Amino acid sequence: MEIVCPAGTPAALRAAVKAGAHTVYCGFNDETNARNFPGLNFDRSEMRAGIAFAHEHGAKVLVAINTFPRAGDQALWHCAIADAHHAGADAVILADAGLLAHAARMHPDLRLHLSVQAAAANADIINYYAEVFGVKRVVLPRVLSVPEIAAINAETGVETEVFVFGGLCVMAEGRCSLSSYATGLSPNMNGVCSPASHVDYHDDGGVLDARLGGYTIHRTAKNAPAPYPTLCKGCFSAGEKTGHLFEDPVSLNAEALIPQLQKAGVTALKIEGRQRSKSYVAQVVGNFRAAVDALAEGRPMPKGMLTRLSEGQAMTTGAYQKTWR
């Protein structure tokens, strides 16, 4: 199976390729991609150089243009699609139906992938995107079990790509309202979830308050690890219960499920982490490449050493085995 790896910077792209990535995904440094943070992403010359480097080493590059443009203000997104095409991108990752229509019409030879932001979770909608826009691959939302993924693959010829490691979202890709409410900036339109500019930590008598947009998201005892204040992983009170009602502050790790995902017909395994360092990228990519190579050669998969790279040094298989709340 294809390993699809994150690159938030040109250095991370080179590290991913050298570590054995089959494919790298990245984005431009503007609102067209869903990881629009200061210091991350690629300008146009960096994108051209990064794609050339990857191609020289036998790897592919996918450009994520996966936010939703504002009505009447599509020019930035149209320009990003054209620039990715001219830079030699192997595919663009799109979520918006209008952008898919534009890309199919204006760049008919450009390969189109459907972003997880489109939340396409059944074969009927996937086949619709393929028939109408020519989509070749869909990144499945993180709400599906392995049997459900197998059922989708049995009813579509579109390639499927699934997340196997990294951050989890609130299980409603493309529909996030929580961070937008707290900060006024939309993850799905502005590309910023829980932006650092809106994060604040305050010591309250030895207890650390982590706030987002003025809202207290976590209260952590002194010397205890304090998670980043992302709303969907925050603590909430409901009735008499207080806890992580949406999602725990842990990382996805589906490494042990790779053989099952292969049998389910999955084409590509996606690693989340465009905000991570090149060292992180290299270690995670190397681990998953070793696992996939061992599986292809009929050898036992090596056990990973990824716990220390996970959020809070805790991991979950998420929805794949339906063990989450």
Side-chain angles (χ1 to χ4, degrees):
M1 286 181 288
E2 182 180 333
I3 303 294
V4 182
C5 310
T9 63
L13 182 148
R14 293 190 294 270
V17 170
K18 291 177 180 178
H22 299 114
T23 302
V24 177
Y25 68 99
C26 50
F28 292 118
N29 53 357
D30 54 38
E31 289 182 311
T32 63
N33 91 81
R35 288 295 182 270
N36 180 27
F37 292 96
L40 289 183
N41 304 310
F42 293 63
D43 63 28
R44 268 48 179 179
S45 62
E46 289 171 336
M47 185 66 76
R48 289 192 297 271
I51 291 172
F53 177 86
H55 288 172
E56 288 169 4
H57 291 79
K60 295 180 290 186
V61 175
L62 315 177
V63 178
I65 306 172
N66 57 342
T67 51
F68 296 88
R70 291 174 292 278
D73 190 22
Q74 303 96 320
L76 180 65
W77 283 260
H78 291 175
C79 181
I81 293 170
D83 289 347
H85 192 193
H86 296 151
D90 295 280
V92 290
I93 308 171
L94 304 175
D96 182 78
L99 293 183
L100 286 162
H102 172 84
R105 182 177 67 253
M106 301 301 295
H107 308 280
D109 58 336
L110 178 60
R111 182 178 169 95
L112 304 181
H113 290 188
L114 186 66
S115 171
V116 69
Q117 291 275 65
N122 62 70
D124 288 340
I125 190 61
I126 292 169
N127 288 333
Y128 172 84
Y129 280 112
E131 293 165 9
V132 176
F133 306 117
V135 165
K136 302 299 183 185
R137 178 183 296 181
V138 57
V139 184
L140 295 176
R142 288 162 280 194
V143 297
L144 300 169
S145 67
V146 175
E148 288 168 337
I149 293 170
I152 288 173
N153 281 325
E155 297 181 20
T156 181
V158 178
E159 297 175 359
T160 53
E161 179 175 315
V162 301
F163 282 93
V164 291
F165 191 82
L168 283 166
C169 74
V170 76
M171 306 298 181
E173 280 98 348
R175 311 289 189 271
C176 181
S177 297
L178 291 172
S179 181
S180 304
Y181 178 84
T183 68
L185 296 173
S186 166
N188 311 120
M189 297 181 70
N190 305 111
V192 283
C193 173
S194 304
S197 57
H198 290 66
V199 171
D200 177 52
Y201 294 95
H202 177 71
D203 188 337
D204 182 11
V207 176
L208 185 67
D209 285 356
R211 300 173 181 172
L212 179 68
Y215 296 94
T216 299
I217 309 302
H218 293 283
R219 303 198 78 224
T220 308
K222 186 176 182 180
N223 299 324
Y228 189 83
T230 303
L231 256 172
C232 62
K233 297 181 180 180
C235 285
F236 294 86
S237 295
E240 297 180 355
K241 295 182 178 180
T242 297
H244 301 285
L245 300 185
F246 289 100
E247 192 174 294
D248 294 325
V250 299
S251 290
L252 172 68
N253 184 7
E255 184 180 26
L257 301 179
I258 290 176
Q260 296 178 43
L261 293 170
Q262 183 187 50
K263 291 178 181 178
V266 168
T267 298
L269 306 174
K270 187 167 191 171
I271 299 167
E272 188 274 339
R274 283 192 282 155
Q275 295 167 257
R276 304 285 190 164
S277 69
K278 64 179 183 179
S279 175
Y280 169 94
V281 169
Q283 291 179 67
V284 176
V285 170
N287 187 283
F288 276 94
R289 179 60 190 267
V292 168
D293 287 348
L295 185 64
E297 296 166 8
R299 295 184 285 106
M301 289 199 314
K303 292 186 178 181
M305 299 292 291
L306 296 173
T307 301
R308 60 190 177 86
L309 297 176
S310 63
E311 184 176 353
Q313 297 193 358
M315 295 183 289
T316 177
T317 54
Y320 286 126
Q321 296 180 320
K322 296 294 188 189
T323 57
W324 50 283
R325 286 184 294 278

